[in-house]
Amino acid sequence: MKLNAEEKAMLAGELGPVRQIAIQHQIKVGEFFGAEDLVPVSQAHIMADTESLGEAGVEWLEGLAKNAIADRMVRIPTITDPRGTDFTKAKQLGQTEKMLELERRAIDAFVKMGVSMTDTCINYQTIMAPVYGEHLAFGDTGVVIYSNSVCGARSNFEGGPSALAAGLTGRTPRYGYHLDQYRKPTHRFKTSWTPQTLNEWGALGGLIGKKSGNYWSVPVLEGIAGHPGSDAMKHFGAAMASFGSTALFHVLGVTPEALHARDLEYLHLPEVLITKEEVMGLQNSYRIAEEIDVVVFSAPQLSLMEMKSIAELCNGKKFIKPLLAMTSPQVKPDSDRMGYTEMIESAGGTVFSGMCFYQSYAREIAETNGWKVLATNSAKIVNILGGYGYTPMLASMEDCVQAAVTGRLK
């Protein structure tokens, strides 16, 4: 790979051992993907939940954090994905002290390296939204697909060590979605039906992800009426990334690289028609039970508008089943101030801050609490939680809240 003078100095260890380790890692990644050089990035977002890191991963972070301050600090805004717990409510979930201690150690190491503990997967709604053409090193799949598609920014899915390396060096290997040629549509879908609810948007995204097939596929969708909002695009993209490993989509007339058909080279692609029945078929494939054990709103974390909608549905109700609503540390204070948290918790629900359900030792807390059948409006989470031993079911926000009242999903 071509390196400039500063990058050569990093590689030679002239900017300290931590930056040397970081750029060595980036060169290996870049050479694997055929990158010719490194591209400067303005933000990094690290996905580093301790369930995945384990003891070895946390020890690696602690080793980096022991270096001198000048050597170990990140040099661009570097933020974090949700953590594996909300320390104030860990006992309610049944998380053990061993789990919590691993979280504390990882957080301490990140802080020593200058990482901002934002603990969110909706940073594009709450922290610093990417802008068109901005090069990034983002980790969470939902964050990447939203930033690429809705914002028109440029990022690959960066693994935890790669995102941290980008924070330390201020650049990332220039391959994949940093390059124009990888942003052109490879699959063409058309629909005459526009989803109305977030679970429907998620189911549509999940179906397109399944049909697209792999990380290098770029679907373009025609036929959407109007302009879907940020939460709709969030669920659409997060589900597509989960079901298909997709990192970029275009919606004709909506997303910035597809405002006009003439902006894209896609008319030569075979057209695949998607019907409402097919989308609902994906949702209904998960509806295999009626009685539920727990309701979860998470993955992605809830925006303030989603918190408001859930709070209004909870008003005046009493739950016989747990209802867990997970949002970001940036949204939670506003939810408290506007009374949404109280409305949810007065009905018997619980609002968690800074965590995500599936990154929180989901299998262990299911065993501790006796949870098996889970209702949610997130298509992303139903695709994930089957692997943790759950029977997840996809439904509307309204039906999920009602299921917490009756214990049954209609």
Side-chain angles (χ1 to χ4, degrees):
M1 290 175 62
K2 299 174 185 174
L3 302 180
N4 64 25
E6 185 181 35
E7 291 157 359
K8 289 177 181 176
M10 287 187 205
L11 185 60
E14 296 171 17
L15 279 73
V18 181
R19 258 170 271 280
Q20 183 182 37
I21 291 169
I23 202 164
Q24 286 172 341
H25 171 81
Q26 291 183 308
I27 290 171
K28 290 179 183 174
V29 173
E31 289 178 344
F32 179 84
F33 285 107
E36 294 185 358
D37 61 0
L38 299 165
V39 58
V41 291
S42 52
Q43 300 183 50
H45 177 267
I46 303 173
M47 189 173 180
D49 56 288
T50 50
E51 185 177 358
S52 300
L53 280 170
E55 181 71 28
V58 174
E59 285 183 2
W60 178 73
L61 284 175
E62 291 174 327
L64 297 177
K66 287 179 180 176
N67 285 270
I69 291 178
D71 294 338
R72 72 186 187 222
M73 300 295 281
V74 294
R75 51 169 36 190
I76 59 171
T78 303
I79 61 177
T80 55
D81 211 37
R83 305 307 312 159
T85 192
D86 176 338
F87 287 102
T88 66
K89 298 184 172 71
K91 287 185 179 178
Q92 179 180 338
L93 292 174
Q95 293 178 316
T96 66
E97 183 56 33
K98 183 179 180 180
M99 297 172 186
L100 303 184
E101 182 58 23
L102 205 58
E103 281 287 341
R104 293 189 189 97
R105 287 170 52 194
I107 292 168
D108 185 53
F110 278 130
V111 170
K112 286 179 179 175
M113 299 177 75
V115 175
S116 300
M117 302 305 298
T118 54
D119 304 345
T120 182
C121 61
I122 55 170
N123 52 303
Y124 47 83
Q125 291 182 316
T126 59
I127 303 290
M128 189 160 61
V131 298
Y132 185 87
E134 185 178 10
H135 289 276
L136 309 161
F138 279 178
D140 180 280
T141 56
V143 171
V144 171
I145 194 170
Y146 189 101
S147 300
N148 276 336
S149 311
V150 181
C151 302
R154 297 184 172 222
S155 179
N156 291 300
F157 290 157
E158 299 274 9
S162 294
L164 179 57
L168 289 161
T169 66
R171 56 261 288 157
T172 196
R174 193 195 306 265
Y175 71 94
Y177 294 102
H178 292 284
L179 302 172
D180 290 344
Q181 61 264 37
Y182 287 94
R183 302 180 70 86
K184 297 177 181 177
T186 63
H187 293 69
R188 181 184 179 187
F189 297 97
K190 189 168 187 177
T191 182
S192 58
W193 167 74
T194 298
Q196 300 301 309
T197 62
L198 297 180
N199 56 298
E200 291 176 354
W201 275 107
L204 176 60
L207 186 63
I208 291 175
K210 288 182 71 171
K211 288 178 176 290
S212 299
N214 67 64
Y215 178 69
W216 301 109
S217 298
V218 179
V220 57
L221 176 63
E222 302 173 86
I224 293 298
H227 285 75
S230 177
D231 285 332
M233 289 288 91
K234 177 173 74 172
H235 280 266
F236 179 65
M240 195 185 304
S242 180
F243 280 84
S245 297
T246 314
L248 168 66
F249 65 83
H250 302 294
V251 179
L252 194 63
V254 174
T255 55
E257 291 169 78
L259 293 181
H260 307 284
R262 64 176 181 269
D263 298 335
L264 295 171
E265 299 173 11
Y266 75 101
L267 294 176
H268 63 288
L269 298 171
E271 183 179 283
V272 177
L273 183 64
I274 292 184
T275 64
K276 178 181 180 180
E277 290 71 25
E278 201 175 4
V279 176
M280 290 298 97
L282 183 143
Q283 172 168 300
N284 294 337
S285 69
Y286 290 94
R287 298 286 289 269
I288 60 175
E290 289 190 358
E291 294 187 4
I292 60 106
D293 298 315
V294 61
V295 174
V296 173
F297 294 109
S298 180
Q301 289 176 332
L302 303 172
S303 70
L304 185 63
M305 293 303 102
E306 289 175 289
M307 292 295 292
K308 179 176 187 289
S309 296
I310 292 172
E312 290 172 347
L313 290 168
C314 291
N315 197 24
K317 293 185 170 68
K318 287 296 178 186
F319 299 148
I320 64 170
K321 297 293 183 180
L323 181 149
L324 317 180
M326 300 189 175
T327 189
S328 76
Q330 297 76 40
V331 168
K332 176 66 165 42
D334 274 352
S335 177
D336 294 346
R337 182 168 59 86
M338 297 179 189
Y340 305 151
T341 302
E342 183 178 359
M343 290 167 70
I344 294 169
E345 297 194 337
S346 292
T350 308
V351 175
F352 295 81
S353 173
M355 66 177 289
C356 179
F357 187 79
Y358 77 88
Q359 295 171 324
S360 58
Y361 301 91
R363 183 182 299 277
E364 289 81 355
I365 64 176
E367 293 170 355
T368 300
N369 292 283
W371 295 336
K372 176 71 175 178
V373 184
L374 177 148
T376 180
N377 74 334
S378 166
K380 174 178 179 176
I381 211 169
V382 299
N383 187 45
I384 294 171
L385 284 180
Y388 287 83
Y390 288 83
T391 302
M393 297 198 292
L394 182 61
S396 68
M397 181 183 288
E398 290 81 354
D399 287 347
C400 287
V401 171
Q402 191 60 27
V405 175
T406 64
R408 303 175 70 87
L409 190 61
K410 70 176 184 179

